[in-house]
């Protein structure tokens, strides 16, 4: 199958075909793969249950399609180029053949350590090739991986382990991150004090720092793989068998385990990777995400490897050892497609263009953005100074739940507009609904972004709680998948994502539920009640603003605020630490006791000109007191 589309007309043609006959369209894409058994039906679906199945009764293993399928032609091609945190440390280049051997050997190792098809395995690792090997080894034997971003706290890690009743943790002694070392094994040890399903922990040697190894439970990675065969027959999986679980925040307190399955996820990540980035076989592609997020799953590991691409994995951070690091890496590896997040762009923009100047960025062909709305200023800076005005920006809108990119320009084909994700990809049938559930047809409309027809990589359920999946995504608008985002379709039919319409804040591209942060704050013994909202933040996109009612007895406000921030850091992790904490005498509430977040959001964004009608509040006087305190 060729992914090359030359013109906008080509896209429109492809899109029309995909809508007129989705089954034929997706079976043509799926034909690129090796299946042990072909499907009965391309798709069976109902958005009420919900119940969605793709490529029913077909059999496959995703790793055969990204390893064996490529070996004959691409065996010696670099699959993964690893760039370490410290630029002085040696780069590692892993060819498709080497990756195949590493995955097979680790698959056998996991089996020898007691893992079987269907078991859940937690991956809590740094950005090193072994993290990808771990994911693929799970997929090879039919174990379900759940990668947990290594910045999450012991409590968050334990919650996830308990929710999916994982049997194994794959981790490292420590992680390098900029000039810091993070003692991840110690975090795992702490987490495991509050879990009882983990039988084995395999520990990769990375920083060399001393760790405690629990006899009978913990084994070193290098010792576990010693002498283990690199010949492994892949487990034959049903298309709808679980491939992985990835936890994500929503508007309720507890993160949910989004479930993706084998066949559809494979077909969609492969297709969208090639199509959006217009990847050519000789290109070097780099996505700066972490494998702990969906972007790392779909567009560092699965999509690129399924397409036989060379994918860069970077261990470090954009500003270490200096603010030109991204551009130094682009130059060093002659990167052709570069994919990052608006928050990184804005952070680097703050250093000016000087860190870019010394670097030759002429290899770049396409630059991408993902994770949050990209503001026009950042878009132009990225376009002019990184892309030098000659690289199309692909502003890709999608979610953990969608598995792959949903709305995006096709590089070099779709005319771009700053801050617009532009048009839906083939196969994606969007709908904009007003709050009463009426579909708004035509252009120049604004409302809730929904999808009305299934696509192969959509979530199937939330782990262990299908009702929650129905409730969260399929109950707001009957018969539609609701994304939680607001959107505008402009006069040209172009889509601009306006951000979340629910109680989710997007901090540096990381999703945080306000309720989740409130629950963590409430763990502090002096906290009586709290309310968390997002507010505009120059670099992070949104910052976290916490209003807290406290029992102040014998405490200074300053200490208390510090302690509250630390509590959140401890319970969720550094990404959830409130930027601002305001101690308040009360929270504005309706007569039914609902917190009026609209008012709190206005105060947090210093937009207090028109507070609307506050007279119906239970406690209108508190609004002035909070405004006073905010000044
Ligand atoms: C891939 C990812 C999903 C939420 C989503 C949006 C926001 C993501 C864009 C965007 C505007 C974009 N998955 N979002 N991409 N908003 N333009 N290009 O980020 O599950 O972690 O987050 O992120 O609100 O609902 S995610």
């Amino acid at each position: 199958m060729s992914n090359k589309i030359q013109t906008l007309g080509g896209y429109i043609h492809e899109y029309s075909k995909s809508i007129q006959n989705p089954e034929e369209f997706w079976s043509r894409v799926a034909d690129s793969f090796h299946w042990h058994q072909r499907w009965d039906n391309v798709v069976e679906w109902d958005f009420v249950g919900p119940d969605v199945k793709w490529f029913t009764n077909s059999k496959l293993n995703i790793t055969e399609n990204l390893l064996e399928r490529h070996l004959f032609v691409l065996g010696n091609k670099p699959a993964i180029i690893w760039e370490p945190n410290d630029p002085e440390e040696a780069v590692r280049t892993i060819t498709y053949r080497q990756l195949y051997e590493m995955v097979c050997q680790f698959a056998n190792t996991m089996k020898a350590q007691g893992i079987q098809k269907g078991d859940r395995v937690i991956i809590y690792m740094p950005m090193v090739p072994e993290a990808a090997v771990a994911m693929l080894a799970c997929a090879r034997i039919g174990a379900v991986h759940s990668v947990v971003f290594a910045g999450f706290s012991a409590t968050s890690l334990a919650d996830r382990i308990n929710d999916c009743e994982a049997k194994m943790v794959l981790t490292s002694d420590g992680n390098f991150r900029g000039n810091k070392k993070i003692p991840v094994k110690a975090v795992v040890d702490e987490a495991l004090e509050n879990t009882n399903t983990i039988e084995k922990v395999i520990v990769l040697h990375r920083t060399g720092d001393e760790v405690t190894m629990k006899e009978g439970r913990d084994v070193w990675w290098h010792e576990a793989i010693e002498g283990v065969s690199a010949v492994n027959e892949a487990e034959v999986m049903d298309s709808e068998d679980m491939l992985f679980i990835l936890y994500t925040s929503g508007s309720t307190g507890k993160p949910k385990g989004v479930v993706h399955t084998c066949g559809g996820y494979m077909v969609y990540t492969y297709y969208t990777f090639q199509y959006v980035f217009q990847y050519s076989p000789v290109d070097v592609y780099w996505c700066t995400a972490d494998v702990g997020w969906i972007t790392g799953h779909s567009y560092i590991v699965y999509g690129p490897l399924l397409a036989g691409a060379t994918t860069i994995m970077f261990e470090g951070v954009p500003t270490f050892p200096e603010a030109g690091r991204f551009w130094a890496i682009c130059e060093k590896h002659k990167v052709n497609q570069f994919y990052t997040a608006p928050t990184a762009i804005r952070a680097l923009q703050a250093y000016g263009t000087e860190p870019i100047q010394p670097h030759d960025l002429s290899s770049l062909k396409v630059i991408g953005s993902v994770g949050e709305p990209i503001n026009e200023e950042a878009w132009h800076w990225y376009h002019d100074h990184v892309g030098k005005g000659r690289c199309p920006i692909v502003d890709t809108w999608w979610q953990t739940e969608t598995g792959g990119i949903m709305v995006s320009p096709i590089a070099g084909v779709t005319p771009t507009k700053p801050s617009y994700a532009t048009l839906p990809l083939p196969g994606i049938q969007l709908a904009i609904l007003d709050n009463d559930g009426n579909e708004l047809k035509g252009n120049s409309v604004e409302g809730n972004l929904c999808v009305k027809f299934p696509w192969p990589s959509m979530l199937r359920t939330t782990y262990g709680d299908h009702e929650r999946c129905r409730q969260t995504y399929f109950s707001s608008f009957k018969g539609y998948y609701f994304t939680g985002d607001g959107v505008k379709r402009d006069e040209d039919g172009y889509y601009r994502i306006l951000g979340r319409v629910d109680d989710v804040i997007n901090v540096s591209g990381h999703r945080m539920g306000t309720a989740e942060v409130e629950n963590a704050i409430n763990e502090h013994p002096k906290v009586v009640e709290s309310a968390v909202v997002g507010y505009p933040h120059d670099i992070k996109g949104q910052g976290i603003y916490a209003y807290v009612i406290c029992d102040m007895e014998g405490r200074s406000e300053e200490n208390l605020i510090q302690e509250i921030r630390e509590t959140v850091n401890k319970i969720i992790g550094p990404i959830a630490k409130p930027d601002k904490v305001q101690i308040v005498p009360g929270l504005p509430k309706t007569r039914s006791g609902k917190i009026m977040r609209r008012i709190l959001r206005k105060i947090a964004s210093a937009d207090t000109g028109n507070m609307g009608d506050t007279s119906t509040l239970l406690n209108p006087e508190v609004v002035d007191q909070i405004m006073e305190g905010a000044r």
Side-chain angles (χ1 to χ4, degrees), residues 526-542:
K526 293 281 171 190
V527 170
V528 178
E529 195 180 3
S530 62
V532 164
V533 297
Y535 71 98
H537 186 287
D538 283 350
I539 289 174
K540 300 180 179 183
Q542 281 190 296

Side-chain angles (χ1 to χ4, degrees), residues 295 371-373 395-400 485 497 500 506 511:
T295 308
E372 54 177 312
D395 176 358
T396 64
W397 174 86
W398 58 295
Q399 309 177 295
T400 305
D485 280 314
I497 310 298
R500 305 289 304 193
N506 192 325
R511 271 167 67 171

Side-chain angles (χ1 to χ4, degrees), residues 534-559:
Y535 71 98
H537 186 287
D538 283 350
I539 289 174
K540 300 180 179 183
Q542 281 190 296
I544 302 180
Y545 198 121
Y547 298 90
V548 190
I549 306 175
C550 282
D551 164 10
M552 296 290 294
E553 220 181 280
R555 297 289 182 106
S556 85
E557 195 165 307
E558 210 175 308
N559 287 346

Side-chain angles (χ1 to χ4, degrees), residues 453-518:
F453 192 86
W455 63 102
S457 68
M458 68 185 291
L459 87 163
R460 300 299 194 265
T461 188
T462 47
Y463 191 80
D465 194 350
H466 193 61
E467 171 54 19
R468 192 165 177 211
C469 171
R470 193 192 63 76
Q471 184 73 34
T472 311
Y473 307 105
F474 297 91
S475 71
S476 307
F477 303 105
K478 201 165 172 289
Y480 295 85
Y481 166 81
F482 175 44
T483 64
D485 280 314
V487 70
K488 164 175 137 179
R489 184 165 53 220
D490 77 357
E491 61 284 1
D492 299 323
Y494 267 40
Y495 290 83
R496 179 178 192 158
I497 310 298
L498 303 170
R500 305 289 304 193
V501 296
D502 52 11
D503 289 326
V504 172
I505 31 192
N506 192 325
V507 187
S508 301
H510 303 319
R511 271 167 67 171
M512 289 303 324
T514 53
E516 206 182 333
V517 182
E518 287 161 8

